Every structure is written in structure tokens, then in C-alpha cells.
Amino acid sequence: MKHSLFLLLAAAALLSSCKKDGPIDFPAANYVGFVYTSTNDTAGNGIIALGRASNGTLTELPGSPYPTGAAGDAAEGDFDTQGALRVVGDYLLAVNAGANPTNGSISVFKINRNNGRLTRIDQNPATLALDNMDSRGIRAASLAASTVGGTSWVVVANQHSNPHYEMNPARAVGTVQASALRNLAIFTLNPATGVLQFSRVGPTYDSGQFGGPTTVEFNAAGTKLITSTWGVAHFMTPDADLAVQKPGRLYVYSFAGGTLTQTGLYEEPGVSGNIGISWSPNGQYIYMSNFNLHSSKENNSLTVHDGTTAAKLQNFATGGRNDEGCWTHVSLDRTKLYVASFGENIVSVFDIGPNNRLSQSLNPNFFARGGNLPMGDTKDMYETPGGYLYVLGAFQSHSVTIFKMAANGALTEEAGSPYRIPSSGGKTKEQHAFLGLTGFEK
């Protein structure tokens, strides 16, 4: 009896303490949706949670950032990836790119769709610890998810590393290493529990000569998967040296039952740093951004490819010479493609025609992020049904720019933008270098 009474009193004290000192309940009624990014902090990755009001404004939520229980990789500097966070049903999946040279990991959070709160899901209930899922490779960088025939598939791109060259004459930064831990790993997700189950390692990019994967993306039907790779870039120079620069690649795979079969491959000398990839609305084409270009390929910041063979069909310049177009987004109304450029902090817009080929109607067709932001800052994008486009100031400003989207694709930055993330105040780019931007509507 005394033991039971003690436990009851202890529990009551804990409840009282939590009410007094714990996170304040989120004012859910104030928000129409929620937006997430990750700190990528090497000392411990965290998910930044933002409430979104009907007028587009953002507010960081109490309790943010949510610890992932694993390391990010900001200390290694800028490395590129699209799709580092994915909302899959009632779960948020996040890559943990750090802990190198051992394997990275995946964290899964249950989403409270009323208030945006996140609860991390134990990936191995058989142990006492709160476990993440081993990514089966080094530097987990991108996630893709699709439900086919009642099975929820998740593919993880393990980037490994991005050795490159800088300056003129070219100076090597990092070493190209052969490794089977540069790969695509395939999992299933239990929609009832949020637990991932490892299936197999798919394609490996052993040599590293064409870089590690930057982005993976399923088509709408879940029957195809595309992967872009970084190549071996050469930047901080008036022109890339083709003797050391290696092209990035675009791979196209058919997907069935967890098995990937390659159907297409694209590479082109002088076109490196292939990052953002998006499927065209009709699924016939692939839109890809490429940030590191030789002077002879300046009109290849954005390329359009066949969705089976990966053959190049169109190519465009974005805002300026080597403005470093990196991230792609197809608008929710399926009429525009946006490309975010890291180097010049601009977003370019292209028209998606009835045949899903691209064209340019606005002149100029690019829009700068305001706020006196340092060059080399802009990354992922996220659009809401209310016509707001959020653009991540990932690397230096630790902010989110808020654009209002016009019917013709033009962008107008909202008053009070960019929103500076409070929990990242005072952090350097080696401490926080955000990865991923996603969200949902209530």
C-alpha cells in the first residue's frame, strides 16, 4: 500500500511539474497548417516546427526544434539535397546525415495534425533505447515515398560525400572514394505503427566519379524512381576546368515490388551539380536543376528529360551565369515550375505547357529574396494551397522567405519576410545548415 501511494504521489508531482514548466500547449486555432525544416546540427539534429497563419506568416512553435536523436552534418559545410524531409500519411520522415563515417539514419515522427506537435517513433521496440532506423549507407540525404498496392515504400539516398575542386588552379577538397555505402536503400513503412522495415540495398554508386545521389523522387503512380547525382564539381573559379570537373548524372529506374531496374541514364560534360528533380504533371518528363556549369553550358541550369530514357529534350538558363540553380518545384496548379538558385538567392519561374514542355513568358522571369541576405543561402521550397511559396534561407540567414504567388507565376515578397528562425539565432552555418522543407494543411 505504501509503495502504491508513493507511486501515485510521484506521478501527481510529475504531472504538476510538466504543467508548470513543460512546453505550453500550442495555440492550434491560430494556424491553418504547419511547416518543417531540420537544423542538420552535427551536435544533434532537430526538426524546426513552424505554425502557418492564413495570411502566410510563420511562428516557431513551443518545443521546437524536436530532437531527432541523431547527428546532422552541418560541420562539413554546404552539401546539396532535395527531399530530406517527407510527410507520409500521419508521419514525418527525416534524414540524419551525420555520424559519418558510420551509417546515417532515418527518424520517424508521429504528427499531431491539430497542433503540429511531433512524437518520435521507436524504430526498434525490442531495445530499451528510442531507436532510429539505420540508413544502410553514409550521409543519408534524400527520401522518396510511395504507396503501391497497399505497401508504403520508402527509398533513402545515401550520398556518402561530395569531393570537389575549388579555385584556379584547381585545388582538391576531399577525395573521391569507392564505397558501396553510396547507394539507394529500400524500406517499407508500417502505416499503423510508423516503423520502417529494411527491404534491400538497391543501386550502388561505388566509384564516386559521378558523385553521390542528391535527390530521389517517385512518379505519381509509384512505378518509376529518378535519382540525380552531384558529380565532381569545380567552383569558386571563373570557369570550371573540364579536366577535373565530372558531370553529374540522372538515373531513371522502373520500380516494382521493391526492385529498381535502370531504364535511362543522362550525363553531359560541363553539366555538374545536378540536384533538384521533379516529375512533369503528366509523368512523361523530368525537370532537373544543375548548379555547376562550364561556360559552354551556361544555358543548362535547367534541363528537361525523357521520363524513361533520361534523354535531354530542352535546356534553359535561370537568373544569371552560374547563379547555381539547385531546387525545383512544380506548382500545385501544375502550370509553373520554380527553380531556386543558391548562389544569387533568386527564384526563377517557367511555364508548363499543355504538352508539359517548358517555356518562359515573364521577362525577367526571376525574383530575388529580400532582406539583404548573404549570397549562397537559398535552398528548398514549399507551396501552400493559399498561394504562398516558402523559400528556405538554409545556409547563412537561417530564415524562410514568404512569397505570394500570382497567376502568371510572378512572386511578391510579403511584409515581414524573411522570417528568421528564433531557435537558430546566433548559429553559424557550421552549426545549423537546414535540410528539407515540407508541411501540411490542417
Side-chain angles (χ1 to χ4, degrees), residues 33-40 45-52 56-60 64 79-88 91-95 111 118 141-143 214-217 275 277-278 326-330 332 338 340 347 369 377-384 388-395 397-403 405 417-421 424 433-441:
F34 300 92
V35 179
Y36 302 96
T37 187
S38 68
T39 65
N40 196 32
N45 192 17
I47 305 299
I48 294 169
L50 307 172
R52 187 179 74 80
T57 57
L58 299 172
T59 302
E60 186 167 12
S64 170
F79 59 94
D80 297 317
T81 167
Q82 183 170 296
L85 301 178
R86 298 279 186 176
V87 173
V88 183
Y91 301 100
L92 176 71
L93 278 62
V95 299
I111 299 170
L118 302 177
S142 179
L143 297 157
T214 51
T215 306
V216 283
E217 192 73 54
I275 301 170
I277 45 177
S278 297
C326 292
W327 284 269
T328 58
H329 169 70
V330 173
L332 295 181
Y338 292 91
V347 180
R369 296 175 58 221
D377 186 55
T378 300
K379 293 201 173 186
D380 304 76
M381 296 173 281
Y382 172 69
E383 180 186 352
T384 72
Y388 293 100
L389 183 70
Y390 296 93
V391 183
L392 197 61
F395 195 52
S397 70
H398 299 136
S399 67
V400 181
T401 294
I402 306 169
F403 285 115
M405 307 164 74
S417 172
Y419 175 72
R420 308 275 180 166
I421 306 296
S424 293
F434 299 161
L435 287 185
L437 189 67
T438 190
F440 67 91
E441 302 301 294

Side-chain angles (χ1 to χ4, degrees), residues 142-153:
S142 179
L143 297 157
S146 182
T147 299
V148 183
T151 300
S152 295
W153 296 99

Side-chain angles (χ1 to χ4, degrees), residues 265-316:
L265 169 64
Y266 160 82
E267 65 177 74
E268 183 173 348
V271 180
S272 190
N274 308 353
I275 301 170
I277 45 177
S278 297
W279 285 96
S280 66
N282 66 6
Q284 293 183 7
Y285 307 115
I286 300 158
Y287 309 137
M288 182 168 71
S289 58
N290 315 291
F291 93 86
N292 186 231
L293 304 171
H294 185 264
S295 58
S296 63
K297 300 294 173 71
E298 289 178 12
N299 60 349
N300 281 260
S301 291
L302 172 64
T303 49
V304 180
H305 301 265
D306 182 87
T308 299
T309 67
K312 188 175 79 172
L313 305 174
Q314 291 181 285
N315 55 277
F316 302 88

